Amino acid sequence: MSEEPRIGLLDRTTFEAVRTEYEPKWGAVLSAFDTEGELVFGDYPPGVDQRVRSAVCLHAHEAVRWGEVPFDLLADGGMIWVVPIITNQRPSGAVVASMAKDRLFPNDDDNPAVDVHAAAQELLGLLEEENLTNVSLLELRRTSHMSERRRAEAIHAVKTHSLDFRNAYIREEPALMAAIRRGDREEARWLLNSILVVLHFQAGDNLGLVKSFFLEIVTLMCRTAVESGCDSLEILGNNYEAFTELSRISSDDELGPWLHDMLERLIDAIRSRRNDSPMAQLQAAVAYMHDNLHQDISRDEVAAVAHLSPAHFSRVFKKEMRESFTDLLNRMRVDRAAELLANTPRSSP
């Protein structure tokens, strides 16, 4: 008795289960090929010519290399997308979804009737559920590829436009600080990398110069974190520890990871602070105002009680309390005066 064919962990039963779930929903035809382009499960779909079959092996390897599901055109104007079957972090075959032109473009125009990207992601998810592919590996490869591409683009910009670090920093700094305030890690990393590429390109082996610019960047990043509501004492403590680490760094290779670690810490602090209820932050401030109405208290003084920067305190206070700090303070004092007046015994005539 001949052994049942398999592609990695994919057997006929599993393939048929995936096909039964996938094909009716998307109107695509599934087939499974090995890395030599030979059909193992399913039927040759219409429009899949020898060129496409020969390219299946390449598509599977490219998917693992770049972390993206590749697409290819069919001879009849339709399309295929290829999800690799991954065994031990290497492609052992692929599940190919094909869609004929009349299904993809029923109106014979340039507007597809099917979201092929969504269809590809769902097929990827189905194969992951069956432990036939490795989505984490693909995501890691995709992220690495995007990082390298952006780095190459930044280097090209430096060489082409003769950017200097100061101009590059001035140009990118507002967007970087805005991304930090939003807690947008991906955008902040990209902008920080753009700045670092220009800095390293121009500073070369001058480690002291690079460190001095790093200190400037971190100072602004920390100020942004405090303005976003982070505890200034906590940030100061983290800074002291980080700057001690920086003083010990003796090679250029250690600097980039140090700065990125600082970025991650600050974004973590901002996100953690945002998880606190704004009203919880203001309760201590309002209690302090209530207990010190007879004193000449200032906004900055009360903001420190709430562990917020004065500017951020004013914004949060107005949003949550529906009136400004000054208006509430004046109203509390008027109410206290009225209360004292009502409770003061009247003198006899």
Side-chain angles (χ1 to χ4, degrees):
M1 181 180 294
S2 61
E3 185 178 347
E4 280 289 319
R6 301 175 69 93
I7 308 176
L9 296 178
L10 179 65
D11 56 22
R12 187 178 301 279
T13 301
T14 305
F15 173 78
E16 292 299 336
V18 171
R19 181 161 73 166
T20 299
E21 181 174 353
Y22 188 80
E23 288 186 346
K25 177 177 181 179
W26 294 100
V29 177
L30 291 190
S31 309
F33 294 82
D34 62 21
T35 53
E36 301 300 322
E38 295 298 326
L39 180 71
V40 179
F41 301 123
D43 302 314
Y44 284 115
V48 173
D49 56 17
Q50 182 59 45
R51 179 190 64 83
V52 175
R53 293 201 302 273
S54 301
V56 166
C57 177
L58 174 62
H59 286 321
H61 281 87
E62 290 297 286
V64 175
R65 179 183 180 186
W66 303 112
E68 299 279 0
V69 175
F71 295 81
D72 202 347
L73 294 176
L74 297 173
D76 69 347
M79 184 176 292
I80 66 168
W81 43 99
V82 180
V83 176
I85 300 169
I86 299 176
T87 305
N88 297 327
Q89 299 191 0
R90 296 179 62 85
S92 54
V95 174
V96 179
S98 60
M99 186 171 293
K101 180 180 179 180
D102 57 356
R103 165 66 178 165
L104 186 59
F105 301 104
N107 299 321
D108 200 24
D109 55 20
D110 294 331
N111 298 314
V114 177
D115 185 342
V116 294
H117 290 281
Q121 289 304 307
E122 179 158 336
L123 181 56
L124 181 64
L126 288 174
L127 295 193
E128 182 186 30
E129 290 176 7
E130 299 293 343
N131 199 30
L132 298 171
T133 194
N134 189 331
V135 173
S136 298
L137 175 64
L138 296 178
E139 177 63 22
L140 180 64
R141 296 287 174 81
R142 187 187 70 83
T143 302
S144 175
H145 167 58
M146 290 295 295
S147 177
E148 286 300 314
R149 190 179 76 179
R150 286 174 166 176
R151 181 174 180 274
E153 289 172 352
I155 292 174
H156 177 72
V158 172
K159 294 180 177 179
T160 303
H161 302 293
S162 300
L163 296 177
D164 63 78
F165 170 71
R166 181 59 55 188
N167 287 337
Y169 181 62
I170 291 173
R171 185 188 65 189
E172 302 290 4
E173 183 265 332
L176 172 61
M177 299 308 152
I180 293 173
R181 290 188 191 94
R182 295 194 306 271
D184 187 340
R185 292 183 192 274
E186 184 174 353
E187 181 68 12
R189 288 170 185 156
W190 156 234
L191 292 167
L192 188 60
N193 284 339
S194 298
I195 294 171
L196 294 184
V197 166
V198 180
L199 173 58
H200 284 301
F201 186 81
Q202 294 201 333
D205 297 329
N206 191 334
L207 190 64
L209 178 61
V210 175
K211 280 187 175 184
S212 68
F213 281 129
F214 273 31
L215 287 173
E216 181 177 345
I217 294 172
V218 169
T219 299
L220 283 172
M221 286 165 52
C222 290
R223 183 184 304 165
T224 298
V226 171
E227 290 174 352
S228 299
C230 292
D231 187 339
S232 58
L233 293 179
E234 177 185 352
I235 296 298
L236 181 61
N238 288 338
N239 281 1
Y240 179 79
E241 179 183 349
F243 291 158
T244 301
E245 294 172 0
L246 178 63
S247 67
R248 299 193 187 106
I249 291 177
S250 58
S251 72
D252 186 68
D253 292 338
E254 299 175 77
L255 283 172
W258 176 86
L259 186 56
H260 278 89
D261 182 59
M262 282 297 300
L263 175 66
E264 297 297 327
R265 290 189 200 180
L266 292 174
I267 290 181
D268 283 342
I270 291 172
R271 288 189 165 184
S272 175
R273 195 66 179 175
R274 285 177 179 170
N275 289 334
D276 296 337
S277 167
M279 285 304 298
Q281 293 176 265
L282 295 179
Q283 284 176 354
V286 174
Y288 182 85
M289 293 166 64
H290 186 272
D291 295 340
N292 295 275
L293 289 174
H294 60 289
Q295 302 287 343
D296 184 19
I297 56 179
S298 67
R299 179 201 64 168
D300 291 9
E301 181 182 347
V302 179
V305 173
H307 302 293
L308 299 173
S309 70
H312 186 65
F313 172 78
S314 293
R315 290 192 294 270
V316 173
F317 198 98
K318 183 67 175 291
K319 178 181 178 181
E320 299 296 331
M321 306 302 295
R322 307 297 182 184
E323 57 186 326
S324 68
F325 163 79
T326 302
D327 289 341
L328 178 59
L329 180 62
N330 290 336
R331 182 166 63 80
M332 292 173 70
R333 284 174 169 163
V334 169
D335 290 345
R336 173 65 63 84
E339 179 183 352
L340 292 174
L341 183 62
N343 293 330
T344 301
R346 296 184 179 182
S347 58
S348 300

